[in-house]
Amino acid sequence: MARGGEGVGLVRLVVLLLLWDVVLAQIRYSIPEELEHGAFVGNLAEDLGLAVERLSARRFRLVSGARRQYLEVNLENGVLFVNERIDREELCEQNPFCSFHLQVVMERPLELYRVEVEITDVNDHSPGFPWSAFNLDISESAVPGSRFPLESAQDLDVGTNSLRTYLLHVNDHFLLDVQTRSDGSKFAELVLESPLDREKQRSHQMVLTAVDGGSPERTGTAQIDVTVLDANDNAPVFERSFYRVRLAENAPLGTVVIRLNASDLDEGPNADITYSFSGHAPVKVRELFGVDARTGEITVTGVIDYEKARMHEIYVQAKDKGPSAVAVHCKVLVNVLDTNDNAPEVILTSVSTPVQEDAPPGTVIAVISVTDRDSGENGNVDCEIPHHVPFQLHSSFKNYYTLVTSDLLDREAVAEYNITVTARDMGTPPRVTRRTVVVQVADVNDNEPRFKQPSYTVYLTENNAPGAALCAVTALDPDAGQNAYLSYSLLDGGDVGGMPVSTYVSVNSDNGNVYALRSFDHERLRSFQIRYSIPEELEHGAFVGNLAEDLGLAVERLSARRFRLVSGARRQYLEVNLENGVLFVNERIDREELCEQNPFCSFHLQVVMARPLEAPVHSWRARRTGRGHQLLRTYLLHVNDHFLLDVQTRSDGSKFAELVLESPLDREKQRSHQMVLTAVDGGSPERTGTAQIDVTVLDANDNAPVFERSFYRVRLAENAPLAPW
């Protein structure tokens, strides 16, 4: 498949799995290494069936476990492209299969996609020998057919691009035999075809060429210098030509892998044997192991990692110290045993927090992935969370989990959960990794305010001064923030002695303090109550009274104003029909159960009517004594850019004013607004009363931080100490 002007081989494989609100999917791409920045990989939006225009709004992003961000996505068209050049050999060394994974995360709703990107090899490395020239000492007594191992070439590429064969320039005495190791790699041996004669020619020079399988092929060369020696007629002999040993990974440095033994029938220096790596031994083996030249012990000199290589082939040669010494070879196959040396890794791919306390069970909170670089039981991981929290872990596909709610949450009981995710592998002993997920519970307005006591009784001496404090009422709301803000107000409607209740008392909306608006006369008014007398044992639905009529309330507004009764009793004995305002019996009343031996049995109900959602900022009503044209005629508000005054007339002819917000407020431009409200009567000459209105604008987080400058230049001395600038 070719896209974007570049021919790139792509393989796509999509697997979809739906789990609650999360869509889990897997897609696979295959691209060659060494692509330039911007090279096309695939169209993620098209391959996953996503709407391109919603990628930015849904916070489409890539999450990579790699140290570098090799790939990136264009949010305008959904195209996945190369962000940084990928060197396969740097990423995966010489593993035959090389890939890395990306997590694609989208929110609202939460969706997770798993992208596997395979990196295929390109022939960007030539075979190379450890030295440009090396020497071989061959006795003139060597018989035709004798074999001499040559240094192996190394090619960082893999597959068909790796080392394919060796070539030897034509000569009169030697030919080349190319052999294959058990892992498929190649090595060469020089085979003597015709006898050597030191007296005729003391040395021979040849060029050895290593050729890879790429197209076009790449080569590397080394010169072979053969020195013809006088005969040492006995060569060392190993006990065996092949050894197999086991070695645990992470074996300490100096651990003895095996002790080789070779013997020589000669005497003196001709039987004094030295051991060393043969030319077949790869460079990586020489970094991990060492050979004692005197004892033949192979010891560990590097870090043995099962996850990098499960087997090593060590080629060792033995050679005596006599003249014309001939080297003999053996192979040691080291099988690496896995140990549980890697702890599981817990990755929080996506976390949705805070979560509303009214979220239904099964709401997805986080997507968690776990990995373990070990193999077998050492790499099998089990993931769990504590049982005492209202959450559960569900396994989607292997090594992926979703954290979901298992019960209803209550912020008033627990506002934050610290959930410990424990990942434990099956090794002996097991290795454990713990990761904490902090889940904050967001408040919803699920609690009604409750007064500290169901009713308040105030004793007031008559002839009090207007403005005298009567009492203070206190209510509590277990919700938080704006949901817990309380505003106290008097119920609308109803009258006392033919006058509205609001003409007798007022309440401070912020603190609940109740004040008298006029002087009270004991002989005219004794209480603010509507009292009903009903017999006990009335059946459900029995008529008690018309509460709407008695309080002077409009029946058609009861439902809109969320009219309700609040009782301090354990049961709701009385209820109101919102269609006609009739107070009726909701539950049978047992006088003895309710009042025990109390001769005067009564209980109080409070009538609560919530303000409508479209309530104005504030409302006022001025009082004017008099009759006819001397009564209050209207209200006036000095001109203001943000507020309007809405003057309305009640059914009894009285007027009240409401302050309405007309345009948005900006605290950063103006922190407060001052206005003057004027009340005008209808007399001649007319009279007026004024009141000042101060509106304070509260701050909202509606501005982003701004740097003083968009560009800074600093100078830093070389070798400056590690400290803040």
Side-chain angles (χ1 to χ4, degrees):
M1 180 182 299
R3 297 185 183 176
E6 294 190 43
V8 179
L10 299 180
V11 177
R12 288 198 305 265
L13 177 63
V14 181
V15 178
L16 294 178
L17 177 62
L18 180 62
L19 177 62
W20 292 283
D21 298 329
V22 179
V23 176
L24 302 173
Q26 179 168 310
I27 186 170
R28 186 172 182 266
Y29 293 103
S30 178
I31 61 173
E33 64 174 329
E34 304 293 342
L35 290 178
E36 296 294 331
H37 172 78
F40 178 88
V41 176
N43 193 315
L44 269 180
E46 178 180 334
D47 295 338
L48 294 175
L50 304 176
V52 175
E53 61 273 11
R54 298 197 62 200
L55 296 183
S56 296
R58 293 187 63 190
R59 295 185 63 191
F60 183 99
R61 63 188 185 277
L62 291 179
V63 179
S64 173
R67 296 180 179 178
R68 299 180 181 177
Q69 189 72 17
Y70 290 117
L71 303 181
E72 192 53 82
V73 174
N74 187 330
L75 296 183
E76 296 181 358
N77 55 22
V79 169
L80 183 67
F81 62 91
V82 175
N83 184 51
E84 183 176 351
R85 184 184 68 85
I86 303 174
D87 186 346
R88 186 188 187 282
E89 289 71 38
E90 177 184 350
L91 182 64
C92 300
E93 296 185 355
Q94 288 187 281
N95 288 330
F97 180 80
C98 180
S99 68
F100 63 91
H101 297 85
L102 302 172
Q103 306 294 333
V104 178
V105 180
M106 297 181 67
E107 298 183 0
R108 294 177 298 205
L110 182 63
E111 294 183 14
L112 169 67
Y113 302 94
R114 187 172 187 262
V115 179
E116 180 181 3
V117 182
E118 179 188 4
I119 308 302
T120 60
D121 185 59
V122 298
N123 194 22
D124 56 342
H125 293 88
S126 299
F129 291 91
W131 302 282
S132 60
F134 46 89
N135 299 318
L136 284 177
D137 294 334
I138 302 177
S139 173
E140 63 179 334
S141 63
V143 297
S146 298
R147 293 175 172 269
F148 307 95
L150 300 177
E151 294 289 342
S152 295
Q154 302 292 323
D155 193 329
L156 296 180
D157 295 318
V158 297
T160 58
N161 294 327
S162 63
L163 181 66
R164 179 174 59 86
T165 189
Y166 294 90
L167 301 176
L168 185 68
H169 286 198
V170 177
N171 63 87
D172 297 332
H173 295 278
F174 299 93
L175 55 80
L176 196 65
D177 183 20
V178 179
Q179 299 188 38
T180 304
R181 297 186 181 95
S182 59
D183 62 356
S185 60
K186 308 287 185 178
F187 66 93
E189 290 184 334
L190 196 64
V191 180
L192 183 64
E193 187 177 25
S194 61
L196 301 175
D197 189 344
R198 181 178 179 276
E199 285 68 36
K200 289 183 178 180
Q201 187 176 352
R202 296 192 173 199
S203 64
H204 301 267
Q205 286 76 38
M206 295 163 283
V207 175
L208 179 64
T209 302
V211 183
D212 68 16
S215 179
E217 64 185 21
R218 301 173 75 112
T219 61
T221 60
Q223 180 172 315
I224 304 174
D225 295 326
V226 177
T227 301
V228 182
L229 304 175
D230 282 334
N232 178 13
D233 58 350
N234 286 294
V237 177
F238 280 103
E239 293 177 344
R240 286 186 290 170
S241 62
F242 175 78
Y243 298 86
R244 184 188 297 272
V245 295
R246 296 186 190 183
L247 179 66
E249 70 170 323
N250 299 318
L253 299 180
T255 299
V256 176
V257 179
I258 190 175
R259 181 168 184 168
L260 301 175
N261 184 39
S263 59
D264 194 319
L265 297 177
D266 294 325
E267 294 182 353
N270 292 335
D272 190 2
I273 300 174
T274 60
Y275 301 88
S276 64
F277 286 114
S278 75
H280 301 334
V283 174
K284 189 66 176 178
V285 168
R286 299 174 192 244
E287 294 174 352
L288 298 177
F289 302 95
V291 178
D292 189 292
R294 184 178 60 85
T295 65
E297 285 184 345
I298 299 178
T299 56
V300 175
T301 59
V303 178
I304 308 300
D305 191 345
Y306 176 88
E307 284 69 43
K308 290 185 177 180
R310 301 185 180 187
M311 180 184 68
H312 298 282
E313 290 183 357
I314 306 175
Y315 293 87
V316 179
Q317 68 178 16
K319 188 176 182 181
D320 62 36
K321 295 181 179 179
S324 305
V326 176
V328 293
H329 307 83
C330 74
K331 180 173 76 171
V332 179
L333 184 64
V334 179
N335 290 319
V336 181
L337 303 179
D338 183 39
T339 60
N340 195 18
D341 60 333
N342 292 286
E345 183 179 2
V346 179
I347 302 172
L348 300 179
T349 302
S350 181
V351 179
S352 298
T353 185
V355 59
Q356 297 288 335
E357 63 176 319
D358 60 350
T363 300
V364 177
I365 305 300
V367 179
I368 301 169
S369 62
V370 294
T371 59
D372 194 318
R373 297 180 61 226
D374 293 320
S375 62
E377 290 299 306
N378 295 332
N380 289 336
V381 181
D382 183 40
C383 204
E384 64 180 7
I385 62 174
H387 299 292
H388 61 273
V389 294
F391 300 92
Q392 289 180 344
L393 273 182
H394 290 283
S395 178
S396 50
F397 47 84
K398 185 177 181 181
N399 293 337
Y400 279 86
Y401 298 86
T402 52
L403 179 66
V404 301
T405 58
S406 61
D407 201 350
L408 294 175
L409 306 178
D410 186 356
R411 188 209 64 84
E412 288 70 41
V414 181
E416 181 180 281
Y417 292 90
N418 292 319
I419 305 173
T420 300
V421 180
T422 302
R424 179 181 289 102
D425 63 29
M426 304 300 177
T428 304
R431 296 180 69 96
V432 177
T433 298
R434 292 180 175 86
R435 184 81 181 269
T436 300
V437 181
V438 179
V439 179
Q440 296 177 336
V441 183
D443 184 58
V444 297
N445 196 17
D446 58 346
N447 291 281
E448 295 182 353
R450 292 186 179 275
F451 283 95
K452 285 188 173 180
Q453 57 190 76
S455 64
Y456 294 79
T457 302
V458 179
Y459 296 94
L460 178 68
T461 303
E462 65 176 333
N463 300 323
N464 60 286
L470 300 181
C471 67
V473 296
T474 303
L476 300 175
D477 192 323
D479 291 321
Q482 189 67 26
N483 295 332
Y485 175 76
L486 300 179
S487 177
Y488 301 89
S489 62
L490 295 175
L491 296 178
D492 293 336
D495 61 81
V496 179
M499 296 293 291
V501 175
S502 58
T503 64
Y504 286 88
V505 295
S506 67
V507 61
N508 187 307
S509 61
D510 293 326
N511 56 29
N513 291 335
V514 181
Y515 302 93
L517 294 179
R518 61 170 61 183
S519 180
F520 294 104
D521 186 350
H522 176 77
E523 286 71 30
R524 295 183 57 192
L525 180 66
R526 296 195 178 189
S527 66
F528 295 162
Q529 292 183 350
I530 296 176
R531 186 182 299 276
Y532 296 99
S533 178
I534 59 175
E536 64 177 327
E537 302 295 342
L538 287 179
E539 296 296 328
H540 173 79
F543 178 85
V544 176
N546 193 315
L547 191 59
E549 178 179 338
D550 296 337
L551 293 176
L553 302 176
V555 174
E556 62 273 8
R557 298 190 64 193
L558 296 183
S559 296
R561 296 296 301 279
R562 294 170 60 192
F563 182 98
R564 64 185 187 278
L565 295 179
V566 179
S567 172
R570 296 181 179 178
R571 299 179 181 177
Q572 189 70 15
Y573 292 111
L574 302 180
E575 191 55 82
V576 173
N577 188 326
L578 298 183
E579 296 180 358
N580 53 27
V582 169
L583 185 66
F584 63 88
V585 174
N586 187 47
E587 184 176 348
R588 185 181 64 83
I589 302 174
D590 187 330
R591 187 182 189 282
E592 293 183 358
E593 176 185 350
L594 178 64
C595 302
E596 295 180 349
Q597 303 300 322
N598 208 346
F600 179 75
C601 181
S602 67
F603 65 95
H604 297 83
L605 297 174
Q606 291 182 331
V607 177
V608 179
M609 296 182 70
R611 299 174 65 187
L613 296 177
E614 65 274 16
V617 177
H618 202 73
S619 62
W620 293 270
R621 182 170 62 189
R623 294 189 297 111
R624 177 69 171 91
T625 58
R627 297 182 179 179
H629 295 294
Q630 297 179 8
L631 295 175
L632 181 66
R633 179 170 60 86
T634 189
Y635 292 86
L636 300 175
L637 181 71
H638 286 204
V639 177
N640 187 280
D641 295 334
H642 295 280
F643 298 90
L644 290 177
L645 194 68
D646 183 16
V647 180
Q648 300 185 27
T649 304
R650 297 184 184 273
S651 58
D652 60 358
S654 63
K655 297 182 181 295
F656 68 97
E658 292 181 337
L659 188 66
V660 179
L661 182 66
E662 184 183 38
S663 61
L665 303 176
D666 190 342
R667 182 179 182 276
E668 283 68 30
K669 293 182 178 179
Q670 187 172 353
R671 298 194 173 190
S672 62
H673 300 264
Q674 289 77 38
M675 295 161 281
V676 176
L677 178 66
T678 302
V680 183
D681 67 12
S684 180
E686 66 180 16
R687 294 180 178 272
T688 61
T690 61
Q692 180 172 328
I693 304 171
D694 293 329
V695 178
T696 300
V697 183
L698 301 179
D699 188 34
N701 192 14
D702 57 348
N703 292 286
V706 178
F707 283 101
E708 295 178 355
R709 289 185 291 171
S710 62
F711 175 79
Y712 295 84
R713 184 190 299 275
V714 297
R715 294 183 178 180
L716 186 63
E718 182 181 15
N719 298 323
L722 297 176
W725 291 356

